[in-house]
């Protein structure tokens, strides 16, 4: 506290007035919890509150967008591509390269490890993305799109517009895209749940992110870039030092974390650099501040270049186009890369780039601003990796020999890049949705609705499965859902398939036995296993609630389907494996974060609020759902009955709490010191954290026993249906 007081005393005005004379804390560093940085950040559970959204509660973008005049919008955007504006010159009179880069960088933040990032929210408008070095001058692309956004208004989101602009740009250059879906709803403030890296400095040395920089796989999970401030890798090379073979390894790792294989990576690299150019024609030190740091008078414009008219733009610092015809889709990238030898040179902005040693004048691209002048093409270190890495080289030579195959591969990879975080295909909207089912879309067939659910429930209740068995399998089936990229969940019954059936978190032996019983029932009634699993959980909770004196019936939606092993991308689904499950009081011994931190992360991905997380924990404990039947946190004498006992006993001051080992606590009678229960830190954080305790006390009240049951059932039902769209 002394440091804080000293700092603030130094800020006092001469007449002793507080610098915050307006009376409120209006700066980000004045958070009430800043003095206790180890406290849980529960704010990530409550971001994007309706108060930040200017639309009315009944506004549903995904319904409104269906009324859009798709054709007219696309025609207007096509015209925009070749209509240069004086305030921001167009390279060769075409904004296509800029728009493609914007779409790519909006989508390219996706990482498969936690499903966060991607283009689905329009977050490119906000910090930190709007001010990353890698996104330099994309604020100009957004302003160029503003007349279109203004015209079509609520019927088109910024998020959709960013990706559509990339598609239209490619099509204006002669490329046939694979497809497009509308339906990305905008957010209205920065996302605070996404971890962008440990550094406090943008573009800090890569070593901050790696255990061993020579081993790209040691890049901290879930990060997908070599520096904070980049989408993937440094275009000059690892830490700005050119070495194509080292860069190849980094490219392979970062694209793998975006769920791309080697062929998709090579196609995206080549296809992205077939059109457009890099910008570094001038002194980068003369650029103005990024948007978030710019002056009010700049009105959100960043990187203002005082020498723009005479020198051209500065973005990456590299300068030049990759191909002879940078506004046409062709096979020129491979012709240029493989038909020339390359040497390292410095751009006018002082960045390392590769240029051809010998090249015919007619093979050089025309200068972007002067049609009477030709300039050397360039390659980044990542481009040279496509030539020098033996795996990428073989793929690229295949593309060179077969341009049609390259175009088709790129089209699908681009579609995957720009749609990966949209969830299943059933969510796609618009006239250009492809008919084909792709494995990365996690396809699930429709299930039967022609059955009597009460008959099925009765059969399940008489099956011999305990309340705990039934709640556990339903929970384990649903808990994989990620609100980030809308993957996972109960639909599909992938709990019965690899890799989920082998996950330690799911107790494979117990799971196999429960699945066997429920498969028999699902076969008897000719319904999906996934519907049967959810019904099993519902019956158990209804019985547990009845035992506590409350008759409830959980709403149920029929029609889930069962995926097959062939429909399941095992490698991709492996990223959904939990390393901890707070709701079953289990964590892997090897996790580096505290179990309670992982709990908040898990809750955020499930789309839970802090009160929902709290009531769910309390209910799961008394239902006896802990991993391998451990008794930590089971603060009740009536296990299997849906009561508020967890909260009653947690908040009882007749108890004392002692730590007895790693993440192990004992709860004793304060007077007799008789051992009553054991607990983990996940259990006790609901008593120690002031915010969580406020919820725990609410549910411990004598008059809230029924509220607890109703709230638990509500959040349970929410999770069982989270993946039904």
């Amino acid at each position: 506290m002394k440091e804080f007081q000293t700092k603030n005393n130094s800020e006092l005005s001469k007449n002793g007035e507080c610098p915050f004379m307006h009376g409120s804390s209006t700066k980000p560093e004045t958070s009430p919890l800043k003095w206790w940085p180890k406290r849980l950040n529960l704010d990530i559970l409550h971001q994007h509150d309706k108060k930040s959204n200017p639309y009315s509660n009944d506004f549903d973008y995904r319904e409104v967008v269906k009324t859009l005049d798709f054709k007219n919008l696309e025609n207007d955007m096509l015209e925009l591509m070749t209509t240069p504006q004086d305030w921001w010159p167009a390279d060769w009179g075409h904004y296509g390269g800029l728009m493609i880069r914007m779409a790519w960088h909006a989508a390219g933040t996706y990482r498969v490890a936690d499903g966060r990032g991607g283009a689905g929210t329009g977050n490119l408008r906000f910090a930190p993305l709007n001010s990353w070095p890698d996104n330099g001058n994309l604020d100009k692309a957004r302003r160029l799109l503003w007349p279109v956004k203004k015209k079509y208004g609520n019927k088109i989101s910024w998020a959709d517009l960013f990706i559509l602009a990339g598609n239209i740009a490619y099509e204006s250059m002669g490329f046939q895209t694979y497809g497009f879906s509308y339906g990305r709803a905008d957010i209205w403030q920065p996302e605070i749940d996404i971890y962008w890296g440990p550094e406090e400095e943008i573009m800090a040395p890569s070593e901050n992110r790696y255990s061993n920089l020579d081993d790209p796989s040691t890049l901290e999970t879930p990060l997908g870039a070599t520096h904070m401030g980049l989408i993937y890798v440094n275009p000059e090379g690892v830490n700005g030092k050119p070495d194509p073979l080292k860069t190849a390894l980094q490219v392979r790792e970062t694209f793998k974390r975006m769920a791309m294989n080697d062929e998709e990576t090579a196609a995206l690299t080549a296809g992205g650099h077939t059109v457009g150019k890099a910008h570094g024609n001038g002194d980068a030190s003369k650029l103005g501040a990024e948007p978030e740091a710019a002056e009010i008078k700049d009105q959100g414009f960043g990187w203002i270049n005082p020498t723009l008219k005479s020198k051209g733009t500065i973005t990456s610092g590299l300068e030049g186009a990759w191909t002879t015809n940078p506004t046409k889709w062709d096979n020129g990238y491979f012709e240029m890369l493989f038909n020339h030898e390359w040497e390292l040179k410095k751009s006018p902005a002082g960045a390392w780039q590769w240029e051809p040693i010998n090249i015919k004048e007619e093979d050089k691209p025309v200068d972007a601003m002067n049609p009477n002048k030709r300039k050397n093409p360039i390659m980044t270190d990542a481009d040279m990796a496509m030539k020098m890495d033996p795996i990428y080289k073989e793929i690229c030579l295949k593309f060179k020999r077969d341009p049609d195959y390259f175009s088709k591969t790129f089209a699908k990879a681009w579609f995957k890049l720009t749609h990966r975080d949209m969830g299943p295909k059933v969510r796609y909207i618009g006239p250009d949705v492809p008919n084909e089912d792709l494995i990365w879309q996690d396809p699930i067939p429709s299930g039967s609705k022609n059955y009597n659910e009460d008959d099925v429930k009765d059969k399940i209740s008489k099956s011999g499965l305990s309340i705990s068995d039934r709640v556990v399998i339903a929970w384990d089936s649903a808990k994989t859902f990620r609100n980030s990229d809308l993957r996972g969940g109960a639909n599909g019954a992938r709990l019965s398939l690899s890799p989920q059936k082998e996950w330690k978190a799911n107790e494979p032996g117990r799971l196999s036995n429960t699945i066997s019983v429920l498969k028999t029932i699902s076969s008897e009634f000719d319904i999906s296993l996934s519907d049967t699993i959810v019904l099993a959980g519902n019956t158990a909770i209804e019985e547990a609630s009845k035992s506590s004196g409350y008759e409830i019936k959980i709403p149920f939606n029929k029609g889930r389907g069962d995926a097959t092993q062939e429909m399941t991308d095992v490698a991709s689904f492996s990223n959904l494996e939990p390393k901890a499950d707070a709701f079953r009081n289990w964590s892997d011994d090897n996790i580096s974060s505290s179990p309670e931190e992982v709990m908040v992360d898990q809750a955020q991905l499930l789309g839970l609020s802090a009160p929902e997380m709290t009531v769910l924990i309390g209910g799961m404990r008394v239902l006896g759902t802990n991993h391998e039947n451990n008794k930590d946190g089971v603060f009740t004498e009536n296990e299997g009955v849906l009561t508020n006992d967890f909260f009653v006993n947690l908040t009882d001051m007749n108890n004392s709490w002692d730590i007895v080992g790693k993440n192990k606590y004992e709860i004793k009678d304060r007077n007799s010191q008789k051992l009553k229960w054991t607990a983990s830190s996940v259990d006790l954080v609901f008593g120690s954290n002031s915010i969580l305790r406020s919820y725990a006390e609410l549910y411990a009240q004598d008059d809230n026993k029924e509220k607890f049951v109703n709230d638990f059932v509500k959040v349970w039902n929410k999770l069982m249906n989270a993946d039904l769209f």
Side-chain angles (χ1 to χ4, degrees), residues 101-124 126 128-130 132 134-135 138 163 191 194-196 209 222-225 227 229-232 254-255 257-260 417-418 420-421 484-485:
R101 179 168 154 258
M102 177 183 61
W104 184 304
H105 284 219
T109 56
Y110 174 81
R111 61 271 185 110
V112 73
D114 60 3
R116 294 185 172 100
T121 62
N123 61 358
L124 195 65
F126 304 118
L129 299 181
N130 70 341
W132 274 5
D134 222 7
N135 293 333
L138 291 182
I163 302 304
E191 293 159 313
I194 302 178
Y195 174 67
W196 296 117
R209 302 189 151 215
L223 302 179
H227 302 267
L230 295 185
I231 305 300
Y232 305 116
T254 56
F255 274 67
R257 292 177 176 225
M258 195 177 55
M260 298 293 175
L417 168 74
T418 53
R420 179 75 204 206
D421 64 334
S484 51
D485 57 359

Side-chain angles (χ1 to χ4, degrees), residues 356-404:
I357 295 173
N358 292 300
I359 185 171
K360 297 177 181 178
E361 188 68 17
E362 63 265 28
D363 289 338
K364 296 179 180 178
V366 171
D367 183 83
M369 298 297 164
N370 185 352
N372 301 313
K373 185 178 179 181
R374 290 183 180 269
K375 284 188 172 181
N376 265 353
I378 63 107
M379 294 286 164
T380 71
D381 218 53
D383 295 309
M384 295 304 296
M386 298 297 116
K387 182 175 184 175
M388 298 180 70
D389 178 270
I391 298 172
Y392 287 139
K393 181 180 180 179
E394 184 180 346
I395 294 168
C396 287
L397 286 173
K398 182 180 181 179
F399 289 156
K400 184 174 182 287
R401 292 189 298 268
D402 192 341
D404 287 342

Side-chain angles (χ1 to χ4, degrees), residues 6-44:
T6 303
K7 177 184 176 183
N8 278 269
N9 287 339
S10 68
E11 293 176 351
L12 291 175
S13 64
K14 291 182 179 179
N15 62 2
E17 290 182 344
C18 174
F20 299 100
M21 60 185 299
H22 46 282
S24 64
S25 297
T26 52
K27 294 183 178 180
E29 65 268 20
T30 59
S31 163
L33 297 179
K34 73 171 188 143
W35 304 303
W36 302 281
K38 292 185 178 180
R39 306 301 283 180
L40 292 175
N41 180 18
L42 298 174
D43 287 348
I44 70 169

Side-chain angles (χ1 to χ4, degrees), residues 339-352:
N339 292 353
H340 299 90
E341 295 300 316
W342 299 81
E343 63 181 347
L344 278 169
K345 289 196 173 179
K346 284 289 186 81
S347 74
W352 285 115

Side-chain angles (χ1 to χ4, degrees), residues 572-646:
S572 179
F573 266 98
S574 294
N575 288 283
L576 274 65
E577 181 177 2
K579 302 304 178 188
D581 183 358
F583 299 92
R584 294 192 61 200
N585 224 345
W586 170 80
S587 63
D588 193 289
D589 292 335
N590 297 318
I591 63 169
S592 56
S593 302
S594 71
E596 54 270 28
E597 288 174 322
V598 179
M599 173 185 67
V600 175
D601 178 72
Q602 184 183 11
Q604 199 278 331
L605 286 174
L606 286 168
L608 300 177
S609 67
E612 288 173 330
M613 177 181 75
T614 302
V615 77
L616 188 61
I617 286 280
M620 293 288 281
R621 291 294 185 273
V622 297
L623 290 172
T625 61
N626 280 358
H627 194 266
E628 295 184 341
N629 200 33
N630 81 77
K631 297 303 178 183
D632 290 348
V634 186
F635 306 153
T636 182
E637 305 298 331
N638 298 298
E639 188 175 329
V641 180
L642 190 58
T643 66
N644 66 340
D645 285 359
F646 175 86

Side-chain angles (χ1 to χ4, degrees), residues 7 129 135 193 274 298 369 413 438-439 693:
K7 177 184 176 183
L129 299 181
N135 293 333
D193 61 300
T274 292
D298 296 330
M369 298 297 164
L438 304 166
I439 193 168
R693 186 176 184 87

Side-chain angles (χ1 to χ4, degrees), residues 293-308:
E295 298 291 335
I296 288 179
K297 68 178 180 61
D298 296 330
Q299 290 293 282
F301 252 34
W303 303 285
I304 292 174
N305 185 354
T307 61
L308 178 63

